Amino acid sequence: MRAVVAVLSFVLGLSAMTGAQAGPVTYRVLEFSELEGWEADDQAAALAVFRETCRDMQDPDWTVLCKTAADWDDARTFFELHFSPVLIEDGTPMLFTGYYEPELRGSRYRGGPYQYPIYRLPDEAADRPFLSRAEIEESGALTGRGLEIAWIDDPVDVYFLQVQGSGRVRLDDGTALRVGYGGKNGHEYRSVGKELIRLGELDEHSVSADRIRDWVREKGEEGRKLLQRNPSYVFFREVNQVPADRGPLGAMNRSITALRSIAVDPSRVTLGAPVWIETNGAENMRRLMIAQDTGAAVKGAQRADIFFGTGQAAGARAGAVKEGGRMVVLMPIQRAYALAEAL
């Protein structure tokens, strides 16, 4: 599970971008012919990702489909025979954003430029409110306790790592390590992008992750104090068991796949389910994704975060996504019609 997913969710906050509150949930069964671009997509890529996590789905309807998927060669036919597209709505407009796995520079030991720690979760912070971000950074309460996983050369990178919830660290000895979400301090997340808008430093149309990075770095101590206005603080764990060529772990504790995995609201969309997305914007995507992740800012039936991969280029692409469109969940046929008829 990521801490606070999506570059743009971080920047503005969900409520500010949607301008609406969730209402009653409705289900409408569609035909595959109603999915724009369905015939042109590579469903085999989505089927491979579906197989990665479907074995962890415990509901009988899904376990049967997972077993069937293991021996199916024609991906498009598999989805068309065993699923029905269902448009789930709750009154909030569609919003797509993006997220990625950042890469940082660091060391196992403090020294030189490496002065900013990534911490493991302290025992006293598990399942209870803990110190705020400012209190952790100013009091030194965690210093010298052996909780440091690594030391990073840029405090802004540490902050954005917490926003994304997972990342890779290139160490000064030539090795690397991966970290994933290990817990948080129990404080509500507060958007520093919204704070910059409130202060008149940036406007809503120009605010972005890169603009915030630049502002914080340029302002020095003032920038550091701005970040501390977000009291939420994320702790990490090492996840080096994940091969370097695989994506970070998602909410299902399986590697996610660039441009085939999305984060969803699990109260609206079953984790592991195939989801057709149609984005209207710079990306203009028409493709089948798998719902493998969640995030604190991803709320609502028409809300998704697209995983763009690892590194700076993926981050730049993810940070530019703030798009409308629609998402349609592929559900086991009998369940799809049962839900629609129950309304």
Side-chain angles (χ1 to χ4, degrees), residues 100-108 113-119 149-180 213 217 234 236 309-313:
Y100 72 110
E101 182 187 32
E103 288 186 312
L104 298 82
R105 296 179 299 273
S107 175
R108 288 285 191 181
Y114 307 112
Q115 298 291 325
Y116 307 99
I118 299 171
Y119 286 120
I149 296 175
W151 297 86
I152 307 302
D153 65 352
D154 187 333
V156 181
D157 283 348
V158 172
Y159 185 87
F160 273 77
L161 175 67
Q162 293 187 357
V163 170
Q164 298 301 321
S166 63
R168 305 189 193 204
V169 181
R170 301 294 178 184
L171 298 172
D172 58 346
D173 63 3
T175 63
L177 64 88
R178 297 181 86 160
V179 293
R213 283 179 186 271
R217 286 170 174 154
V234 173
F236 294 92
T310 299
Q312 185 175 359

Side-chain angles (χ1 to χ4, degrees), residues 237-261:
R237 60 191 176 96
E238 290 193 51
V239 288
N240 292 323
Q241 73 275 18
V242 179
D245 62 341
R246 304 294 299 276
L249 299 179
M252 300 182 76
N253 207 35
R254 300 283 181 182
S255 288
I256 57 178
T257 302
L259 301 176
R260 287 294 172 180
S261 297

Side-chain angles (χ1 to χ4, degrees), residues 144-335:
R145 296 178 51 184
L147 296 171
E148 298 89 352
I149 296 175
W151 297 86
I152 307 302
D153 65 352
D154 187 333
V156 181
D157 283 348
V158 172
Y159 185 87
F160 273 77
L161 175 67
Q162 293 187 357
V163 170
Q164 298 301 321
S166 63
R168 305 189 193 204
V169 181
R170 301 294 178 184
L171 298 172
D172 58 346
D173 63 3
T175 63
L177 64 88
R178 297 181 86 160
V179 293
Y181 178 80
K184 61 183 297 186
N185 62 347
H187 291 258
E188 288 295 321
Y189 175 80
R190 183 177 179 181
S191 167
V192 298
K194 289 176 66 175
E195 186 68 9
L196 285 172
I197 293 172
R198 187 187 69 81
L199 294 171
E201 295 289 338
L202 297 175
D203 63 72
E204 184 171 339
H205 299 292
S206 66
V207 68
S208 68
D210 285 341
R211 290 291 302 276
I212 292 172
R213 283 179 186 271
D214 292 343
W215 192 94
V216 171
R217 286 170 174 154
E218 178 184 328
K219 297 296 183 178
E221 181 65 12
E222 184 182 353
R224 190 175 69 86
K225 291 294 186 182
L226 173 76
L227 298 182
Q228 290 182 348
R229 295 193 186 193
N230 173 20
S232 178
Y233 194 93
V234 173
F235 301 98
F236 294 92
R237 60 191 176 96
E238 290 193 51
V239 288
N240 292 323
Q241 73 275 18
V242 179
D245 62 341
R246 304 294 299 276
L249 299 179
M252 300 182 76
N253 207 35
R254 300 283 181 182
S255 288
I256 57 178
T257 302
L259 301 176
R260 287 294 172 180
S261 297
I262 59 172
V264 298
D265 182 347
S267 72
R268 297 288 188 257
V269 179
T270 300
L271 281 178
V275 180
W276 179 255
I277 68 169
E278 299 170 3
T279 74
N280 298 329
E283 289 292 336
N284 202 34
M285 287 186 184
R286 304 289 187 268
R287 63 171 53 203
L288 187 59
M289 314 289 276
I290 308 298
Q292 293 181 306
D293 213 349
T294 63
V298 182
K299 300 297 180 186
Q302 289 291 301
R303 178 72 176 93
D305 235 352
I306 302 167
F307 177 62
F308 278 87
T310 299
Q312 185 175 359
R317 192 174 175 187
V321 177
K322 180 187 174 185
E323 302 179 359
R326 71 170 180 172
M327 53 186 278
V328 180
V329 181
L330 271 57
M331 301 179 64
I333 292 175
Q334 292 184 333
R335 174 167 295 189

